[in-house]
Amino acid sequence: MDNTARITLVPPPDRRQSETALAIARGTARLLRSLGFSCISELPLPSGRRADLVALNERGEIWIVEIKSSVEDLRADQKWHEYRAHCDRLFFAFTQDLPCEIFPEDTGLIIADAYGAHLHCEAPEHKLAAATRKQMTVRLAMAAALRINRLVDPQGHADFWE
């Protein structure tokens, strides 16, 4: 008989995003996994901004995906261009209800729903400097590890909320 306690690693719901944004994030994360990336949501960046999705592959490439749930959401966002300093490629992910033409030409486009996503337009590459790549890789790894640790031992990490 196995006496090992089983821990379910299901994160609590994140109430900062709309249901549409959460669905886009879920489908986009599935696409990123199929492309060989692991991703984390809502990652604080060195600039003080918070990226919707940050993805890392085994080659060390870093992509940032900014999620837009409406035309108004895009128009209200004046900070998206600051994310470029923290990634090799910058994408927007959105539902098929939004026209591609409203998004900046120098970004990639991902059309998504809750079940999957399609890479509609590849993002131009702008390679990160080695020091920035290391900083982002460590930041992503630390955030992922802390989130797992919080799930395993919530009381032991009460002082470390991001």
Side-chain angles (χ1 to χ4, degrees):
M1 180 177 285
D2 186 340
N3 291 331
T4 307
R6 300 195 104 202
I7 299 171
T8 304
L9 296 178
V10 178
D14 186 343
R15 303 198 195 296
R16 289 178 286 199
Q17 295 87 16
S18 68
E19 290 298 319
T20 301
L22 290 172
I24 295 167
R26 178 179 164 193
T28 301
R30 289 179 175 186
L31 170 68
L32 292 169
R33 279 193 297 278
S34 77
L35 296 173
F37 285 83
S38 294
C39 68
I40 190 167
S41 62
E42 297 297 320
L43 182 69
L45 300 173
S47 66
R49 300 288 185 201
R50 185 180 298 266
D52 292 333
L53 290 175
V54 179
L56 175 72
N57 70 12
E58 65 183 17
R59 293 185 308 275
E61 293 175 294
I62 298 171
W63 292 4
I64 290 181
V65 181
E66 181 66 3
I67 295 169
K68 294 298 164 202
S69 56
S70 67
V71 174
E72 294 76 24
D73 187 14
L74 178 64
R75 287 187 181 142
D77 184 358
Q78 299 300 313
K79 65 190 181 315
W80 66 266
H81 48 80
E82 295 176 31
Y83 299 149
R84 195 178 306 275
H86 307 290
C87 63
D88 294 303
R89 295 180 193 264
L90 178 62
F91 293 84
F92 281 99
F94 53 96
T95 65
Q96 65 182 3
D97 299 333
L98 297 179
C100 295
E101 298 77 32
I102 67 171
F103 293 95
E105 290 182 18
D106 59 342
T107 60
L109 302 178
I110 297 171
I111 299 173
D113 61 24
Y115 304 101
H118 167 71
L119 187 58
H120 181 71
C121 178
E122 186 70 51
E125 184 177 57
H126 43 276
K127 289 273 189 190
L128 286 174
T132 304
R133 182 176 314 286
K134 179 180 178 185
Q135 180 184 42
M136 286 298 296
T137 302
V138 169
R139 183 173 286 266
L140 191 143
M142 293 290 293
L146 280 171
R147 290 177 189 185
I148 290 170
N149 290 331
R150 283 187 204 128
L151 292 171
V152 173
D153 182 13
Q155 294 81 18
H157 291 80
D159 295 338
F160 297 102
W161 291 103
E162 290 177 40

